[in-house]
Amino acid sequence: MSGPRRDPDMVRPYVRTQGRIRAREDVRLESVVIAATGPTDTLGPDARRVMRLFAGADGGLAVADIAAALELPPSTVRILVSSLMDSGHLSSPVAAIDDQPDFDLLQEVLRGLRSMV
Amino acid sequence: MDFAPWSDRADRTDESAGAAGTDRPVTYVPATVTRSAKIVVAGGFGVGKTTLIGSVSEVRPLRMEEPITQASAGVDDLRGTPHKTTTTVAMDFGRIHMAGGRIALYLFGLPGQSRFQPLWEDLAEGALGCLVLADTRDLDASHDALGLLDGAGIPYAVAINTFPGSPSYPEAELREALALDPATPLTHCDARDRTSSLHALITLTEYLSEHRSAALLETRR
Ligand SMILES: Nc1nc2c(ncn2[C@@H]2O[C@H](COP(=O)(O)OP(=O)(O)OP(=O)(O)O)[C@@H](O)[C@H]2O)c(=O)[nH]1
Ligand SMILES: [Mg+2]
């Protein structure tokens, strides 16, 4: 089976968000972010909506959760979250020190799924 | 930490409305979560993607919408300017927490049509792998998804979703009809059933684990 070719006519609408046009590679749809602190008055309206979601939050949200809550395209939210991480408004949750150093995501997922049945 | 499927919860009080009022409700990721992972669920229209995600998700499944623009090709283009049409592609997703609440596993559903390729790139990036759902009444509907996955080099397993009236075929015939690699797992599931859906995900994840060991051996040679 040969691989599909990119259809050049199929594009997403061009987006420019907070001066960024591309998402950071480490900001994916499933990436969880938590709110850090910082003044939000210089942010654009969509970025401010993102930060408002975290007001009083007792946990994080993935890019996909933010896109669903704000009804924004996920590709736009990836970029918004990227710039909010650049500016220090959002950050990644940090693993506790007692986390195993050889923490293997795939094995943990397999173990987790098996424990559910 | 104890999590139950969202549909089993009597209270479902974990949904708090966004402060902006108009935003849709969000369920925060527990503060214990420091890692996340993603599995994509693909397949043709109506094959049971949303159902499977809803069966296993611990939070109410949510939906994102991505507009994609297509310059229409065809006879119209021979005269005048090309028409642009915007299609909105809906992607639903759910979430499972595991490893004592340290991991959030996201499950994303996406229709398998190859014209949605721009979305595949966002979804596929960093995915552990993909579960392809297929219906024996229309096996051809799976070809687009399988072609995209082969092209992108994303490992996958196939689960035949059993519908009333779906013909059953011997495994060898199914493999041939789907043009599956002999190593690709082929299983059955009922997407409406949580345990059955989890077994399909376990089959995929076991394969991913073996697949990775094989890939590591390959690079050491
Ligand atoms: N009998 C049976 N019915 C199923 C199964 N999975 C889904 N269904 C039914 O099939 C219909 C379509 O299922 P969905 O989960 O909406 O399918 P989908 O792949 O998300 O569909 P689209 O998003 O429209 O492409 C629903 O009415 C489901 O109740 C299954 O395993 N067995
Ligand atoms: Mg669906």
Side-chain angles (χ1 to χ4, degrees):
Chain A
M1 208 177 295
S2 68
R5 273 169 299 131
R6 172 187 281 275
D7 180 349
D9 288 340
M10 205 68 187
V11 293
R12 283 190 294 234
Y14 176 76
V15 274
R16 174 183 285 276
T17 314
Q18 298 284 116
R20 255 191 178 270
I21 56 166
R22 296 192 63 154
R24 287 163 49 143
E25 263 180 35
D26 60 338
V27 177
R28 302 184 186 133
L29 297 178
E30 73 279 18
S31 301
V32 173
V33 288
I34 54 173
T37 45
T40 55
D41 43 303
T42 56
L43 299 174
D46 283 340
R48 245 183 285 179
R49 287 183 70 204
V50 172
M51 293 313 296
R52 265 203 302 268
L53 271 185
F54 287 92
D58 53 358
L61 289 172
V63 170
D65 294 313
I66 298 171
L70 300 182
E71 301 184 41
L72 288 171
S75 60
T76 305
V77 175
R78 276 186 78 189
I79 300 170
L80 276 169
V81 167
S82 297
S83 45
L84 286 167
M85 288 183 80
D86 292 346
S87 63
H89 288 91
L90 294 176
S91 64
S92 305
V94 181
I97 300 163
D98 61 359
D99 247 6
Q100 292 160 17
D102 58 347
F103 186 88
D104 184 330
L105 195 58
L106 189 54
Q107 291 310 317
E108 291 289 339
V109 168
L110 181 53
R111 202 197 314 251
L113 288 171
R114 281 177 175 156
S115 75
M116 289 170 71
V117 295
Chain B
M1 206 172 299
D2 229 20
F3 294 101
W6 71 283
S7 48
D8 289 0
R9 292 194 190 166
D11 52 335
R12 297 194 210 158
T13 49
D14 55 342
E15 291 167 6
S16 34
T22 55
D23 300 334
R24 292 201 209 153
V26 287
T27 308
Y28 293 102
V29 176
T32 46
V33 170
T34 53
R35 300 280 295 273
S36 54
K38 149 177 80 180
I39 287 176
V40 179
V41 180
F45 277 123
V47 81
K49 303 176 292 292
T50 301
T51 305
L52 185 137
I53 290 167
S55 297
V56 299
S57 183
E58 288 164 353
V59 299
R60 187 175 56 93
L62 298 173
R63 162 169 292 221
M64 313 180 280
E65 289 180 352
E66 183 82 56
I68 48 177
T69 309
Q70 184 168 34
S72 56
V75 272
D76 279 1
D77 291 350
L78 294 177
R79 39 199 155 84
T81 48
H83 300 280
K84 286 210 169 176
T85 48
T86 299
T87 318
T88 299
V89 183
M91 288 174 275
D92 35 27
F93 64 98
R95 193 204 298 164
I96 302 172
H97 307 94
M98 44 182 60
R102 287 182 302 159
I103 299 177
L105 173 67
Y106 279 84
L107 297 166
F108 288 93
L110 178 70
Q113 285 82 355
S114 44
R115 62 197 185 90
F116 299 145
Q117 192 179 353
L119 300 181
W120 269 94
E121 288 164 12
D122 263 1
L123 273 184
E125 221 179 306
L128 297 178
C130 180
L131 182 67
V132 179
L133 294 180
D135 177 354
T136 54
R137 291 170 300 183
D138 187 8
L139 289 172
D140 282 350
S142 316
H143 278 144
D144 269 7
L146 296 173
L148 280 166
L149 292 165
D150 284 332
I154 302 162
Y156 57 88
V158 178
I160 305 286
N161 214 3
T162 14
F163 288 89
S166 295
S168 62
Y169 299 103
E171 172 164 345
E173 264 178 58
L174 285 173
R175 286 189 169 277
E176 198 184 319
L178 295 167
L180 296 186
D181 187 276
T184 302
L186 175 63
T187 183
H188 286 78
C189 78
D190 184 333
R192 299 164 301 176
D193 182 78
R194 176 172 179 266
T195 306
S196 175
S197 300
L198 284 170
H199 277 298
L201 291 171
I202 291 168
T203 300
L204 166 68
T205 314
E206 283 170 345
Y207 169 65
L208 296 173
S209 173
E210 292 158 19
H211 184 88
R212 188 181 55 179
S213 316
L216 281 176
L217 278 178
E218 195 67 35
T219 53
R220 282 207 200 108
R221 255 183 223 152

